[in-house]
Amino acid sequence: MGVPFLDPGPMNAEDFFAFTATRPDGEKWELIEGEPVLNASASFLHQIIARNLIVLLDRASLAGGETWAAVPGVGLRVSEISAPVPDVIIRPNDCLSAPECDDALVVFEILSPSTADRDLRWKRRAYAALPSLSQYVVVAQDLVEVVSYDRRTGFAERRFEAAEAELDVPIVGARLSLRDIYRGTGLL
């Protein structure tokens, strides 16, 4: 049989999406600088927060005329060799059937111990480079804390730490209460 030759070069986005199409649905892969990365399964709290975000954003979408949608688990092509998979993205409603996109309006990441550094450093820079992106939101899963980076302020950090605080998502006209984002987590 021999030892197969492995291409030492970085994987590109097309190869990555072809690769992930063959993987089980339960696996969450990301392409980071040409390297496919398998993420650990999300925690229960992570999933509750993601569900809450989807529900809140769906309500806002229905109230605002449904020109956009909030969806989980979609690959976001940020370069030819990088396609992270944010926890929740908001994107235009006219092209939701594609398995990946490059047109996210807002990206939400729920911090995990294994991804916190990458989410706060690499992903923040990568997402900010997308022309369509207006806001990057990072949500803690171990305490009530949300950090927002907005294009309109040069991606300066805005931190929300009180359950009564509201995160504004101006590009889609939504305001999300931290109390609602963390509902059912036991953190309130």
Side-chain angles (χ1 to χ4, degrees):
M1 172 166 114
V3 177
F5 174 76
L6 294 178
D7 182 357
M11 182 182 278
N12 66 33
E14 283 77 24
D15 292 340
F16 172 72
F17 290 117
F19 164 73
T20 58
T22 67
R23 304 303 307 157
D25 288 343
E27 293 181 358
K28 181 182 176 187
W29 288 88
E30 297 184 290
L31 183 64
I32 307 296
E33 298 295 321
E35 292 295 324
V37 176
L38 177 61
N39 289 311
S41 296
S43 72
F44 184 73
L45 285 179
H46 182 284
Q47 299 295 56
I48 294 295
I49 293 167
R51 180 208 59 198
N52 290 346
L53 286 168
I54 295 286
V55 167
L56 293 168
L57 291 165
D58 189 51
R59 286 183 196 149
S61 172
L62 293 173
E66 299 184 57
T67 60
W68 54 272
V71 293
V74 175
L76 184 57
R77 185 187 299 238
V78 296
S79 76
E80 285 308 309
I81 59 167
S82 293
V85 180
D87 293 311
V88 177
I89 66 168
I90 295 175
R91 67 183 298 212
N93 212 14
D94 57 355
C95 54
L96 295 178
S97 62
E100 48 104 359
C101 72
D102 63 0
D103 61 354
L105 304 172
V106 182
V107 171
F108 293 84
E109 291 284 5
I110 302 163
L111 290 184
S112 301
S114 63
T115 66
D117 188 60
R118 184 172 59 225
D119 290 349
L120 292 170
R121 296 178 191 279
W122 184 87
K123 286 185 179 180
R124 181 177 160 208
R125 287 189 303 276
Y127 294 152
L130 281 174
S132 63
L133 190 86
S134 70
Q135 189 171 3
Y136 175 44
V137 180
V138 178
V139 181
Q141 68 170 304
D142 56 348
L143 61 117
V144 176
E145 185 174 40
V146 174
V147 178
S148 177
Y149 304 95
D150 303 329
R151 183 172 302 281
R152 63 192 169 132
T153 61
F155 290 102
E157 178 183 291
R158 289 185 310 139
R159 192 171 290 269
F160 304 87
E161 301 175 308
E164 296 75 32
E166 287 189 330
L167 169 71
D168 59 320
V169 187
I171 195 162
V172 295
R175 294 187 67 79
L176 310 178
S177 156
L178 269 63
R179 182 170 304 287
D180 290 336
I181 291 171
Y182 286 95
R183 185 172 312 284
T185 63
L187 295 172
L188 297 170

